[in-house]
Amino acid sequence: LEFADVPAEVRTFEGDPAEAILRHSEKVGSDLICMTERGRAGWARFFGNGVARSILRNARCPVFIRKTPGEPA
């Protein structure tokens, strides 16, 4: 994003990751949440309750999720 002249910021938080990201996103009025997710296969992909899935379900702005490079498809 830095190379595309898109303003972006990286933050770290304590506590439940999904709750902290969602709380901060609402506080600052985020236009987009970008994050990575470990690749999961089969049923784990559909029934997993990971951070990315929680943010995707509850965010009030668009969410872009990219598989972590090097993880299996």
Side-chain angles (χ1 to χ4, degrees):
L1 291 175
E2 290 178 23
F3 300 109
D5 293 326
V6 175
E9 60 182 58
V10 177
R11 301 284 180 173
T12 58
F13 302 97
E14 292 185 17
D16 179 81
E19 288 179 16
I21 292 168
L22 291 168
R23 188 172 37 252
H24 182 72
S25 174
E26 290 184 29
K27 177 182 172 185
V28 300
S30 296
D31 296 321
L32 176 68
I33 298 172
C34 296
M35 56 189 307
T36 60
E37 177 184 48
R38 289 180 294 184
R40 291 190 203 149
W43 293 107
R45 168 169 271 162
F46 294 104
F47 294 110
N49 289 318
V51 174
R53 180 172 289 256
S54 179
I55 291 171
L56 187 60
R57 286 182 178 164
N58 297 297
R60 296 186 183 197
C61 65
V63 178
F64 175 79
I65 301 173
R66 181 174 186 260
K67 191 183 325 175
T68 303
E71 291 288 333

